[in-house]
Amino acid sequence: MIYLKNLIGGELIEPSKKQYFDNFEPATGNVYSQIPDSDADDIQLAYQAAEKAFPEWSNTSLDFRFETMMKLVRLIEQNHKKLSEAESMDNGKPIKLAAKVDIPRAAQNFKFFANAITQFASESHNMPGEETINYTVRQPIGVVGCISPWNLPLYLFTWKIAPALAAGNTVIAKPSEVTPYTAYLLSELAIEAGFPKGVLNIVHGLGQKVGDAITRHPGIKAISFTGGTSTGKIISSIAAPMFKKLSLELGGKNPNIIFADANLDNAVRTSVLSSFANQGQICLCGSRIFIERSIYEDFKTSFIAKVNKLKVADPKDPESSLGAVVSKDHFEKVLSYIQLAKEEGGKILSGGNAVQLDGRCENGWFIEPTVIEGLEYNCRVQQEEIFGPVVTLTPFDTEEEALMMANSTEYGLAATIWTENINKAHRVAAKLQSGIVWINCWLVRDLRTPFGGVKNSGVGREGGFEALKFFTESKNICIKY
Ligand code: TXE
């Protein structure tokens, strides 16, 4: 049995109360490791270490930060196989997905921000005739908190930690208790990379205990959070009155709009990915597919044919298209929405059932890729985030109707448009209520771009200099000469 440890003050240590709780392997339903059941005392310990480390780390040269972060990049790359296997085991995703996406992106996150900080400049404002000039400095905040979810564990964990460290802050980071393993492995690599003690602290445990302690700690001045909208509301209610900086990447219910003049083959092929990649557990997945009526049957026939070829299998199987969903609770949540879809009048075109595998995975949490048609655009299944391998097909007659339905939810994270008409593409993109729009593609990511949503999908933007601005405070200094 593996006992995970916290990284505090540069040491891998037990939780202060020596309490642990079970960590499950989704593909088998078995307990395979123990997670530190840390609490506010552990966060205080981490805070003391981070506070102590801040003066020195915030005054390191950009080159030193670059070099230290690049050592970690190389260590992640050298441990690619071990980290991929760990991520697949902990999350249930196919090993090929962890190896191709999750772990390479974790390395890239550190590489990107190690470089970005060496290019991050600030402005000066000259006042002609006044013999006065202003210059802006962007200074690190101090000790910051990073709280991340279970769907892309190391990918999203490092997406927050990297800019925070690059900007000169010291960090207290909490991975999801559902998928803590690769964060623990990263702790070992961070020590090996030579991060000064206390610069990066990783504390494991329950959101309501450890995440809450981070949010409430008066010394932690900024919180970067990715997870559910309801949790985002809780964190906001605590942090806002404390005037903490908040970056919130929350839920989504993303539209995927297919116009009649789309390249149908491309639209179908990519829509299978945007529907079911990572078992549909990506906040950017396009779970509501709107198709112009004249091509609705053609799209449906071609889409279902491809979905029916997807293989739900052991994540270790190189042929697996979908692995297990992340937890028993989530398994039951997703199945409950499929049941609700039937009650709301939906017709299951493909899937709709749990998958019973044999062998080591006989007790795993597997669900068929599920396609549903015939639902009203404003029913619960089309309005609420399911976050699993479930999509809906809905026809539309006009651009205005497609936009009305697409914009009808409380969310506004991402959207996809398929059309060969460039004017229509720009016109529709401008009217979509979302922070990210892909046209004739999906999940194409340039890390320099602003990343985040509107409405209940969050507040603030990650990515590029947006992230470095979030993790710094700007100060204007005015000199008369
Ligand atoms: O998120 P949670 P989970 C959505 C998706 C999913 C739902 C819940 O709908 O079903 O969120 O997923 C910590 N104070 N997304 O369980 O519960 C928790 O320990 C402070 C979208 O992952 O929000 C974990 O580390 N922290 C999302 C992190 O918050 C708290 C990706 C996320 O947990 C806390 C994943 C509290 N009171 C899920 N309660 C996206 N946008 O990518 C929990 N946490």
Side-chain angles (χ1 to χ4, degrees), residues 98-299:
K100 182 165 174 271
V101 175
D102 294 72
I103 305 311
R105 175 64 188 274
Q108 190 187 359
N109 286 341
F110 276 107
K111 186 185 294 183
F112 176 86
F113 284 105
N115 281 289
I117 195 63
T118 67
Q119 307 303 313
F120 186 48
S122 53
E123 312 76 24
S124 70
H125 300 82
N126 190 26
M127 299 171 76
E130 309 255 347
E131 295 182 322
T132 303
I133 189 163
N134 303 267
Y135 68 95
T136 303
V137 288
R138 297 192 191 284
Q139 297 173 309
I141 295 167
V143 180
V144 300
C146 298
I147 302 172
S148 59
W150 48 252
N151 61 320
L152 300 163
L154 198 59
Y155 173 131
L156 289 175
F157 193 59
T158 54
W159 181 234
K160 295 174 181 305
I161 292 170
L165 292 174
N169 302 288
T170 51
V171 174
I172 299 176
K174 182 210 164 308
S176 170
E177 59 274 32
V178 181
T179 52
Y181 192 25
T182 46
Y184 169 66
L185 296 177
L186 184 76
S187 303
E188 296 176 324
L189 300 181
I191 292 170
E192 197 178 342
F195 278 90
K197 294 179 184 299
V199 167
L200 172 61
N201 303 277
I202 297 174
V203 182
H204 294 273
L206 299 171
Q208 292 81 346
K209 281 170 72 172
V210 175
D212 186 67
I214 290 172
T215 308
R216 290 181 189 280
H217 195 291
I220 298 174
K221 302 297 185 191
I223 309 279
S224 176
F225 170 77
T226 294
T229 292
S230 56
T231 309
K233 288 178 182 173
I234 294 169
I235 290 172
S236 299
S237 68
I238 297 163
M242 298 175 80
F243 302 108
K244 295 187 180 197
K245 285 185 86 171
L246 273 181
S247 166
L248 301 172
E249 296 300 327
L250 307 178
K253 188 71 175 183
N254 307 315
N256 176 10
I257 305 171
I258 325 272
F259 285 99
D261 58 11
N263 176 318
L264 195 58
D265 288 346
N266 289 349
V268 169
R269 187 170 53 251
T270 306
S271 296
V272 171
L273 283 176
S274 62
S275 300
F276 301 112
N278 202 44
Q279 299 72 244
Q281 298 168 148
I282 301 176
C283 56
L284 302 168
C285 278
S287 53
R288 294 183 293 146
I289 307 177
F290 297 103
I291 307 119
E292 194 160 5
R293 198 176 298 277
S294 59
I295 61 157
Y296 182 84
E297 291 302 327
D298 289 347
F299 178 90

Side-chain angles (χ1 to χ4, degrees), residues 21 23-24 26 35 90-91 150 174-180 326-327:
F21 57 89
N23 186 31
F24 292 85
I35 307 170
D90 211 17
N91 172 274
W150 48 252
K174 182 210 164 308
S176 170
E177 59 274 32
V178 181
T179 52
V326 77
S327 67

